[in-house]
Amino acid sequence: MKRKVAAAVAVILACMWTLTGCHTVKGFGEDIQSGGRALERASGR
């Protein structure tokens, strides 16, 4: 039981940390888009 609670807390904290870096849904979309561009460059496309 303690492991499940700890895992849930870790996931929530990770989500909060990720979303605070974006500040908005638009910012989140831009972050995802830049990640996709980086993957395309890395694949040589």
Side-chain angles (χ1 to χ4, degrees):
M1 181 68 174
K2 286 185 180 181
R3 281 188 176 179
K4 288 184 180 181
V5 172
V9 169
V11 168
I12 291 169
L13 289 175
C15 288
M16 288 173 56
W17 177 73
T18 302
L19 292 175
T20 57
C22 303
H23 298 294
T24 63
V25 174
K26 181 181 176 188
F28 182 71
E30 290 172 356
D31 290 345
I32 297 297
Q33 189 175 29
S34 67
R37 285 188 196 125
L39 286 172
E40 285 182 350
R41 284 192 305 268
S43 70
R45 211 173 140 196

